[in-house]
């Protein structure tokens, strides 16, 4: 994977069209910004109950977006990252419909995880309470077979997302089919969606079990042998991220987004510095994604202390709500149809009260942090909370999943904050310093982040009290200095 900035986007929501237009946009108005693109689920259908994360056919590109040859053509110029939806398939998938029709006689019967597979003698209240799940309701959904028998299927996220039993031949064959399509059609990086839930065991939280760790490691090895890298997508306590990082090619630094917000809100760098000193180096950095802003990643878990304490987490969340004029409150938790109760749904730009300097500061810290940076299309264009879409769907995460057109993109690209962000992206892409050694200093309101790669150096110095933010780049031939505020002029 190239150590340059990547784009995260839905093909249709950014372009108003599909894969060919996405390539035209990357080659045109976005030229020079991104070495790769994470294309969010492009499988049939893209407009299911979970915006493509509940595929009816994981092996078919939705015809409204294009075809496998279109994806392969895009992959000739950009590193493509795609989602392997490890944990579940749609309740309308041919495989599950066959199970409903034929029951135990279906060749796909073993592909889907049932309560009896993990709890053959039935589940106790104590065992049910121990299961970690991202939604407040039961992790099981009763489904009635054609025979009239009612079976409790495991549904970690929604009632329409039926968990896959990845330990069976049918489950393995399902994932193998998708992996082969990826390898043959230009995909270079695989995001292992919700892999932490993949293997459940009685008497555990059924999240990040030892067997799940081993499964992720084996799946990563299989992908590597096919010429692809893997990214583990896991929201959890920061110590879990550190442990997972040792078993996969890369993890997400999901603790970074809330810690940067905390730093900007409090003008104190201590929590951020503590994390950056121990954070995995084999990571992707993000501020925003198609999901909400993760909070659990920086907070405490039970008796395990977090990077932020409970009071700091509460203050962080309340400040986001205040900055967004309570729009985020309308989209978060029980206020909307959320499956991720540990996240705050809000654009990152609105979480910072649409303050251009604070937003650029946040992006600069991201770009100087260890890891390969990714920028979500909403963040690239400094989009506001999409309250109209939220009102229309009552899906909390839709507040940050706007539908755009090339014309709308062109308008957003003219905003001073977006022009300044584009300059930052190019500076990050062009410096060889970020392939070298990272060092960090900081306490109270002062933060200094440095990279050194032989004659190439990059330094970021921020005084949050005086709001002085300076970058310095050197390449052996000369030195360039930038004041972040000047990029907005």
């Amino acid at each position: 994977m190239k150590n340059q900035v990547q784009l995260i986007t839905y093909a249709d929501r950014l372009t108003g069209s599909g894969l060919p237009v996405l390539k035209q946009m990357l080659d045109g108005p976005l030229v020079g910004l991104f070495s790769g693109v994470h294309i969010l689920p492009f499988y049939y259908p893209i407009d299911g109950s979970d915006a493509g994360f509940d595929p009816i056919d994981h092996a078919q590109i939705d015809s409204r977006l294009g075809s496998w040859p279109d994806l392969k053509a895009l992959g000739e110029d950009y590193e493509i990252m795609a989602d392997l939806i490890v944990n579940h398939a749609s309740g309308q998938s041919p495989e599950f419909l066959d199970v409903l029709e034929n029951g135990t006689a279906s060749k796909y019967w073993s592909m889907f995880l049932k309560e009896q597979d993990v709890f053959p003698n039935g589940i106790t209240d104590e065992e049910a309470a121990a299961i970690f799940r991202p939604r407040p309701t039961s992790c099981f959904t009763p489904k009635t077979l054609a025979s009239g028998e009612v079976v409790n299927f495991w549904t970690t996220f929604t009632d329409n997302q039926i968990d896959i039993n990845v330990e069976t031949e049918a489950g393995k064959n399902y994932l193998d089919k998708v992996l082969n399509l990826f390898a043959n059609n230009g995909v270079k990086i695989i995001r292992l969606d919700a892999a932490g839930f993949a293997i459940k065991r009685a008497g555990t939280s059924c999240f990040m079990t030892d067997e799940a760790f081993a499964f992720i490691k084996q799946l990563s090895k299989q992908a590597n042998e096919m010429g692809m890298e893997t990214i583990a997508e896991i929201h959890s306590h920061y110590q879990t991220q550190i442990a997972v990082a040792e078993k996969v090619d890369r993890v997400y630094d999901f603790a970074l987004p809330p810690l940067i917000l905390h730093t900007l809100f409090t003008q104190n760098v201590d929590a951020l510095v503590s994390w950056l000193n121990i954070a995995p180096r084999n990571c992707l950095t993000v501020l925003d994604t198609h999901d909400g802003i993760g909070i659990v990643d920086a907070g405490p878990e039970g008796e395990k202390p977090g990077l932020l304490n409970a009071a700091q987490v509460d203050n962080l969340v309340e400040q986001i709500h205040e900055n967004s004029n309570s729009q985020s409150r309308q989209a978060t938790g029980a206020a909307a149809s959320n499956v991720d109760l540990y996240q705050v749904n809000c654009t990152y730009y609105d979480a910072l009260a649409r303050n251009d300097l604070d937003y650029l500061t946040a992006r600069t810290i991201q770009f100087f942090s260890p890891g390969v940076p990714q920028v979500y299309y909403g963040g690239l264009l400094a989009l506001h909370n999409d309250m109209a879409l939220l009102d229309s769907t009552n899906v909390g995460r839709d507040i940050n999943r706007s539908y755009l057109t090339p014309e709308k993109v062109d308008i957003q690209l003219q905003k001073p904050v977006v022009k300044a962000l584009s300059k930052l992206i190019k500076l990050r892409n062009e410096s060889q310093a970020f392939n070298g050694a990272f060092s960090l200093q900081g306490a109270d309101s002062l933060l200094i982040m440095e990279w050194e790669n032989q004659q190439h150096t990059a330094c970021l110095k921020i005084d949050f009290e005086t709001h002085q933010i300076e970058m310095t780049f050197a390449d052996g031939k000369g030195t360039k200095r930038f004041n972040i505020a000047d990029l907005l002029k």
Side-chain angles (χ1 to χ4, degrees):
M1 183 188 300
K2 294 178 182 176
N3 186 10
Q4 295 181 328
V5 182
Q6 299 179 350
L7 176 67
I8 308 172
T9 191
Y10 296 93
D12 60 321
R13 298 193 190 216
L14 175 64
T15 67
S17 183
L19 296 171
V21 177
L22 175 58
K23 187 174 189 307
Q24 292 171 16
M25 195 171 283
L26 289 167
D27 291 341
L30 304 182
V31 67
L33 296 182
F34 303 108
S35 65
V37 54
H38 174 193
I39 309 173
L40 290 159
F42 44 82
Y43 324 111
Y44 173 74
I46 55 173
D47 50 2
S49 61
D50 193 20
F53 281 96
D54 51 342
I56 288 177
D57 190 344
H58 201 333
Q60 176 185 340
I61 292 182
D62 193 305
S63 61
R64 290 168 289 183
L65 299 183
S67 62
W68 288 108
D70 290 327
L71 187 74
K72 193 169 186 177
L74 181 57
E76 291 176 359
D77 296 316
Y78 302 93
E79 291 184 321
I80 293 176
M81 180 169 160
D83 291 276
L84 182 65
I85 302 172
V86 172
N87 185 69
H88 50 261
S90 170
Q92 282 75 52
S93 65
E95 294 88 351
F96 190 67
L97 292 178
D98 192 84
V99 166
L100 292 180
E101 179 65 26
N102 298 303
T104 56
S106 169
K107 65 179 180 179
Y108 303 112
W109 175 254
S110 66
M111 175 177 157
F112 296 96
L113 193 67
K114 298 162 283 289
E115 177 186 323
Q116 66 191 42
D117 294 332
V118 182
F119 302 97
N121 299 318
I123 186 172
T124 67
D125 291 342
E126 184 179 3
E127 288 171 326
I131 296 173
F132 174 77
R133 51 189 177 273
R135 60 175 181 153
T137 53
S138 172
C139 57
F140 302 110
T141 301
K143 300 286 185 179
T144 304
L145 309 183
S147 64
E149 180 185 0
V150 177
V151 177
N152 267 354
F153 286 89
W154 206 303
T155 53
T156 296
F157 290 96
T158 71
D159 293 352
N160 190 51
Q161 291 167 298
I162 317 299
D163 286 23
I164 297 168
N165 190 339
V166 299
E167 296 183 279
T168 65
E169 283 303 308
K172 292 175 184 176
N173 290 339
Y174 174 84
L175 295 180
D176 285 349
K177 177 174 66 174
V178 181
L179 278 174
N180 279 298
L181 278 167
F182 283 175
N184 293 330
N185 289 282
V187 174
K188 297 298 182 187
I189 308 152
I190 300 171
R191 176 180 177 270
L192 304 179
D193 178 65
F197 295 95
I199 297 182
K200 290 85 165 173
R201 288 291 185 269
T204 73
S205 68
C206 296
F207 176 69
M208 290 312 306
T209 60
D210 290 342
E211 292 82 1
F213 271 113
F215 167 75
I216 291 171
K217 185 175 182 179
Q218 176 57 37
L219 190 59
S220 296
K221 179 182 177 183
Q222 182 181 353
N224 292 163
E225 291 172 349
M226 300 171 75
M228 299 178 287
E229 294 184 53
T230 57
I231 312 296
E233 187 267 335
I234 295 167
H235 281 281
S236 186
H237 190 266
Y238 74 90
Q239 291 175 341
T240 302
Q241 292 287 24
I242 293 173
V244 172
E246 298 174 358
K247 296 176 171 61
V248 294
D249 297 314
R250 293 184 187 271
V251 292
Y252 284 96
D253 186 346
F254 283 136
L256 190 64
L259 288 175
I260 290 179
L261 289 175
H262 169 79
T263 301
L264 287 162
F265 294 162
T266 64
Q267 298 183 6
N268 185 287
V269 306
D270 293 347
L272 176 63
V273 169
S274 294
W275 170 239
L276 290 176
N277 277 324
I278 62 172
R281 291 341 191 202
N282 59 325
C283 65
L284 295 181
T285 66
V286 295
L287 294 187
D288 46 5
T289 69
H290 63 289
D291 287 336
I293 300 168
I295 301 301
V296 66
D297 310 276
E301 181 183 291
E303 296 185 358
K304 293 191 293 187
L307 300 163
L308 301 176
N309 60 40
Q312 290 172 321
V313 168
D314 288 343
N315 290 337
L316 169 66
V317 172
E318 286 304 312
Q319 189 64 58
I320 294 173
H321 292 330
E322 180 180 335
N323 285 356
S324 68
N325 294 318
S326 288
Q327 290 179 342
S328 57
R329 200 184 300 275
Q330 297 177 51
T332 297
S337 302
N338 289 300
V339 296
D340 295 323
L341 300 183
Y342 46 75
Q343 299 179 350
V344 176
N345 290 317
C346 184
T347 70
Y348 211 82
Y349 187 56
D350 277 3
L352 287 168
R354 305 182 184 179
N355 183 303
D356 288 354
L357 184 58
D358 282 351
Y359 185 65
L360 289 178
T361 302
R363 285 294 176 190
T364 308
I365 296 172
Q366 178 199 357
F367 293 169
F368 270 77
S369 296
V372 175
Q374 291 190 319
V375 176
Y376 183 59
Y377 78 104
L380 169 69
L381 301 172
L383 296 181
H384 298 163
N385 286 328
D386 195 332
M387 300 306 292
L389 184 60
L390 175 65
D391 290 342
S392 172
T393 66
N394 194 39
V395 173
R397 290 177 293 179
D398 275 349
I399 198 172
N400 190 29
R401 295 178 175 181
S402 294
Y403 287 92
L404 306 176
T405 62
E407 293 75 21
K408 175 67 172 177
V409 171
D410 287 340
I411 292 171
Q412 292 298 114
L413 287 173
Q414 299 310 309
K415 292 178 62 173
V417 66
V418 176
K419 286 185 175 181
L421 176 55
S422 296
K423 294 174 186 175
L424 279 176
I425 291 173
K426 289 180 179 179
L427 287 170
R428 173 62 171 77
N429 287 341
E430 292 165 359
S431 176
Q432 295 298 315
F434 296 100
N435 294 314
F438 173 70
S439 61
L440 175 74
Q441 302 176 58
D444 299 325
S445 64
L446 184 64
L447 177 67
I448 301 174
M449 306 171 75
E450 296 181 279
W451 288 88
E452 183 175 358
N453 181 17
Q454 297 178 355
Q455 74 270 30
H456 300 276
T457 62
C459 177
L460 171 65
K461 183 176 181 180
I462 304 177
D463 188 326
F464 288 94
E465 187 173 350
T466 64
H467 301 286
Q468 292 297 308
I469 310 148
E470 294 182 342
M471 292 185 299
T472 304
F473 295 93
D475 60 5
K477 299 177 181 178
T479 300
K480 297 179 180 179
R481 289 183 173 81
F482 300 89
N483 186 305
I484 300 298
D486 290 341
L487 296 179
L488 287 164
K489 297 178 181 177

